[in-house]
Amino acid sequence: MVKRMVMVIDLQLCSGCNTCTIACKQENNLPDGVYWTNVITIGPGGEDRPRGEYPHLNLDYLPLGCQHCAVAPCIEVCPTSATFRLPDTGIVMLDTSLCVGCRYCMQVCPFTGVRVFSESLHYHLPYAVGDNPMAHRKKTVEKCTFCAHRLVEGLPPACVDACPLVARAFGDLNDPESEVSQLLRSRPHFQLLADKGTQASVYYLT
Amino acid sequence: MPLTSFYHPEEKHYLPINPAALPLQILEQQPYPIKAVMVAFNNWFNQWPDQNTLKNQVLPQLDLMVVADLFMTETARWADYVLPTASLFEREDLVKGPGPYIQYQPRIMPPPDDCRSDFEIASGLAKRLGIGNYFERSPDDYLAEILAELDPSLGQDAFAELKLTGVLRRKLPENYPVAFCDKQFQTPTGRVEFYVERLLPFGCALPDYESPIEAYPDNPLYERFPLIYITEHGRYRVHSTFVFTPWLREIDAHPQLLIHPVTAALRLIEDGDLVRVFNDRGFVVLHARLSQAVPPQAVYLSQGWQSNDYVEGHAQTLTHNLSNPANAMGPNVSFSDVLVEVIKAR
C-alpha cells in the first residue's frame, strides 16, 4: 500500500525554541541564512512578540516548512521536473541539479517562506555537516524534503528527532495505527490554507 | 554539569571562595592579598555586576590574570595571558546527570596543536609550583577516584565499566527524588522555620516585606532613574556560553532592550531605535525592541552578550555588587535590582 507521510505538530507544546530550525540546518548542511523550517510567531507583532496588552498576553508559535501538499501546484508548473513527488511516500522533492532557478514554484505556492532562493551561498563552517547528500547550488530553489534521506534509513526527520518538547510527530497517514493517525483521530487539528485545496501534509494540533 | 565531587589528596581540601565576594576580597586584600587570578570555566568580566569597578579598581590590584578558554571572551580580552583549552570533545570527563545517571565523556579527538586540557594546564602549573606530586597519575585514575568518592557503593570496577557502557545509574535513597519526604529539614530545630533566630541580628527573623537595595519607588534615585532594569536569560545561550555560535546568532543576532510601547513613546523611542541605557555606574547603547511582554515600569535585557555585541558600553556596567547581609547563602549578586533611565541615542 502506498504511504502518505505526514507531519503532525502540536501547537500546544511548541515553545518556539527553534531547536528544529537548528537541527534542520545541521542535518541538511544549510548555507547561512537558509532555513527549510523555522518558527513564526502568530500575530501581527513579529517574532517573539505576544498578542494583547500587558499583562493580558498570548504568545503562540507556528513551526513552518514545506507542506508537501497532496495536490502540489509546484510540481505542475516546474518546467524541468526538478520538483517531483516520491511515489512510495508522497513526499515532494526538489532536485537542485535539475533546477534552473525560474522560481515558478515560489510564485505558485500558496505558502510564503517555505522555499529559499539564494544568489550566492556562504557557510559559517569550513566543512559540510549532516547526512543529506544533496548539493546546494546557488541560484536554485531549495526546500524541506521531510528528510527523505533519513526516511530510507528508518529515521524520522531531524526536526522531529530534535524537538525537546516532542511537539512534532511523523508517520504514515494511510496506516490507521500510526502515531500520526491516532493523534489526528484524538485531537482537533487544522491544515494551513485548507481552502486552497492543496491538501497539505502538515497537520497542526490545537 | 560537572561532578561536584573533588579530589582531596592526603585529605587536603581547597579553600572555597564565594565568587561573588572575590572582587571585594581583591580590593580589600582580605583575608589575604590576592595578586594573581587564573580563570577557567568562567567569564567573570562579562557576567559579574559592576563591570567598571572590576576593570578600573579590581584589575589594577592584580599583577597577573590568566584565562583558559575556547573563545576570546570578554574576560580573555582583559587577561595578560590566554591559554587555549581543549573542547569537551577533546578531553575525557564525567558528566553527572540527568537524575541518577552518570555519563562518560570520551575524548573523541585530540585537541589542535598547542591546546591543552584544563587538567594538563593545572598539572603543569602544579609541577612548577612544587606540588606536582598531586597530579602525577593519569586523568583516568583521578576520574575513577572521583567516581568512587561520589558513590562508594559502585565498586572498584565502576569506572572501567562506565567507559564501556557510557552511562551508569547510581543507587539512590528509596524515595528519591521526593524532596523532604522524610520531613527532615536542615535547620537548627529540624523543622520548617518561619521564625529564624539566626536572622535576628539582621532584623528579619520573620518573613516581612523589605525594600530591595535599589529598585523601589521610594528610593530617591528613582526620580532620576525611573525604570527597573531586569536581566533575563536569553533563550539561545546559557549565560555567555554559545554567544559565539554563528547558527544561533542568525536567529538572535544582537542584543535588544525590551521596552513597553508606552514607556518608549514617552521617550520618543521607536522600534529598532538605538537607545542609551544608563545610571550613575555606567551605560550601554543598543537597539530597542518595543514589546507588550514587559511591564511599563521595567526594561529587560537578556544577558551574556560581550562588549563587542553592543554598539557601545556594556550592560554589566549598570548592575551593582551589593547584596542583602541577611542572605544566608553568603554574598550574592542581583542583576534585577537596578534602576536606569533610557534615552534615544543619536
Side-chain angles (χ1 to χ4, degrees):
Chain A
M1 190 176 167
V2 173
K3 288 178 178 169
R4 167 98 195 276
M5 302 311 285
V6 302
M7 188 175 289
V8 175
I9 303 177
D10 190 340
L11 297 184
Q12 288 196 22
L13 290 177
C14 177
S15 71
C17 70
N18 273 307
T19 305
C20 50
T21 311
I22 300 296
C24 177
K25 278 192 86 90
Q26 178 170 315
E27 178 62 30
N28 297 298
N29 193 39
L30 298 186
D32 303 352
V34 173
Y35 305 99
W36 286 359
T37 184
N38 62 2
V39 182
I40 60 174
T41 306
I42 296 175
E47 198 183 325
D48 273 333
R49 262 184 275 222
R51 309 187 304 282
E53 287 188 16
Y54 183 89
H56 306 290
L57 302 165
N58 280 296
L59 184 57
D60 293 296
Y61 297 101
L62 186 95
L64 186 65
C66 173
Q67 303 290 301
H68 296 273
C69 304
V71 178
C74 52
I75 296 176
E76 314 257 330
V77 299
C78 183
T80 62
S81 299
T83 303
F84 63 100
R85 189 183 304 282
L86 291 177
D88 51 341
T89 55
I91 293 175
V92 177
M93 296 291 284
L94 203 165
D95 185 344
T96 52
S97 70
L98 295 175
C99 178
V100 292
C102 70
R103 285 165 278 173
Y104 287 169
C105 54
M106 293 178 90
Q107 290 184 26
V108 77
C109 177
F111 307 100
T112 45
V114 302
R115 280 183 182 73
V116 193
F117 175 89
S118 307
E119 286 289 345
S120 60
L121 302 178
H122 304 279
Y123 296 89
H124 291 302
L125 295 171
Y127 47 84
V129 293
D131 292 328
N132 189 345
M134 192 198 98
H136 300 276
R137 291 174 60 219
K138 65 181 179 183
K139 301 189 181 190
T140 63
V141 177
E142 51 180 75
K143 67 167 194 70
C144 163
T145 64
F146 265 176
C147 280
H149 64 285
R150 281 170 61 92
L151 195 58
V152 296
E153 312 268 331
L155 298 169
C159 57
V160 175
D161 247 6
C163 178
L165 292 157
V166 204
R168 292 182 186 239
F170 187 72
D172 180 10
L173 192 63
N174 288 344
D175 173 5
E177 295 311 309
S178 68
E179 185 190 6
V180 289
S181 296
Q182 292 182 30
L183 280 169
L184 293 179
R185 271 203 301 277
S186 61
R187 295 273 303 273
H189 56 265
F190 67 91
Q191 290 152 293
L192 289 177
L193 302 181
D195 57 319
K196 302 282 184 190
T198 63
Q199 299 177 30
S201 296
V202 177
Y203 291 82
Y204 294 95
L205 303 179
T206 56
Chain B
M1 184 162 53
L3 290 178
T4 47
S5 170
F6 207 83
Y7 172 56
H8 298 138
E10 298 167 18
E11 299 299 310
K12 285 190 161 85
H13 286 243
Y14 63 108
L15 176 65
I17 291 179
N18 184 324
L22 184 60
L24 201 63
Q25 290 180 339
I26 294 171
L27 276 179
E28 296 180 350
Q29 309 201 4
Q30 292 296 333
Y32 42 74
I34 294 172
K35 285 295 170 191
V37 170
M38 162 129 187
V39 183
F41 298 98
N42 203 309
N43 190 6
W44 71 320
F45 268 56
N46 200 68
Q47 300 302 103
W48 253 233
D50 199 1
Q51 194 186 68
N52 280 334
T53 299
L54 266 185
K55 287 179 177 172
N56 300 332
Q57 293 177 42
V58 176
L59 188 63
Q61 291 282 320
L62 297 173
D63 292 340
L64 176 72
M65 181 159 85
V66 181
V67 172
D69 209 306
L70 278 166
F71 299 98
M72 199 62 184
T73 63
E74 187 74 15
T75 312
R77 288 165 195 272
W78 288 83
D80 298 294
Y81 297 96
V82 180
L83 307 179
T85 53
S87 78
L88 77 164
F89 303 107
E90 296 158 353
R91 58 179 166 80
E92 194 180 30
D93 210 341
L94 298 176
V95 182
K96 188 180 174 186
Y101 296 97
I102 298 170
Q103 300 175 67
Y104 175 59
Q105 174 188 304
R107 192 172 103 147
I108 307 289
M109 57 201 224
D113 294 344
D114 299 334
C115 285
R116 298 186 194 185
S117 72
D118 294 275
F119 176 83
E120 287 171 318
I121 292 171
S123 62
L125 199 57
K127 280 188 188 100
R128 299 193 188 189
L129 292 171
I131 49 172
N133 53 317
Y134 297 128
F135 292 87
E136 274 170 349
R137 291 181 289 150
S138 72
D140 255 29
D141 286 351
Y142 296 110
L143 290 177
E145 200 162 321
I146 287 172
L147 192 61
E149 190 172 315
L150 186 77
D151 189 346
S153 72
L154 289 173
Q156 287 290 323
D157 301 325
F159 186 62
E161 191 188 321
L162 177 61
K163 282 180 84 164
L164 286 175
T165 59
V167 62
L168 63 80
R169 190 188 160 92
R170 290 166 65 196
K171 288 195 184 68
L172 293 165
E174 220 164 80
N175 287 315
Y176 178 91
V178 183
F180 307 121
C181 60
D182 55 1
K183 294 182 182 145
Q184 293 299 308
F185 301 91
Q186 290 180 2
T187 58
T189 58
R191 296 154 69 177
V192 177
E193 292 185 359
F194 289 101
Y195 173 77
V196 183
E197 282 194 337
R198 282 177 299 166
L199 296 180
L200 266 178
F202 304 103
C204 40
L206 280 168
D208 197 3
Y209 172 76
E210 196 178 331
S211 295
I213 292 168
E214 180 167 305
Y216 60 101
D218 291 339
N219 185 344
L221 268 181
Y222 197 77
E223 281 180 28
R224 289 167 56 218
F225 305 114
L227 293 171
I228 297 169
Y229 173 89
I230 307 278
T231 308
E232 64 169 7
H233 287 260
R235 194 179 227 179
Y236 301 107
R237 291 178 303 286
V238 182
H239 304 291
S240 63
T241 306
F242 305 130
V243 75
F244 298 95
T245 309
W247 283 349
L248 297 175
R249 293 296 289 266
E250 281 188 21
I251 299 172
D252 194 16
H254 53 79
Q256 291 174 312
L257 185 80
L258 288 184
I259 184 168
H260 190 276
V262 170
T263 313
L266 288 171
R267 291 158 177 79
L268 304 177
I269 293 165
E270 290 177 18
D271 193 46
D273 277 355
L274 271 186
V275 294
R276 184 185 181 92
V277 190
F278 64 99
N279 58 22
D280 283 339
R281 286 180 293 269
F283 75 97
V284 62
V285 178
L286 73 168
H287 293 272
R289 179 178 173 82
L290 273 53
S291 176
Q292 290 282 350
V294 300
Q297 306 91 332
V299 290
Y300 280 58
L301 176 51
S302 73
Q303 54 119 332
W305 302 101
Q306 317 282 299
S307 61
N308 55 321
D309 297 324
Y310 300 108
V311 175
E312 206 185 336
H314 195 294
Q316 291 293 20
T317 62
L318 300 165
T319 48
H320 62 75
N321 200 5
L322 305 172
S323 62
N324 188 328
N327 187 340
M329 305 285 287
N332 198 348
V333 282
S334 169
F335 300 99
S336 299
D337 183 10
V338 176
L339 288 176
V340 296
E341 177 59 293
V342 180
I343 56 168
K344 195 166 165 169
R346 276 184 305 107

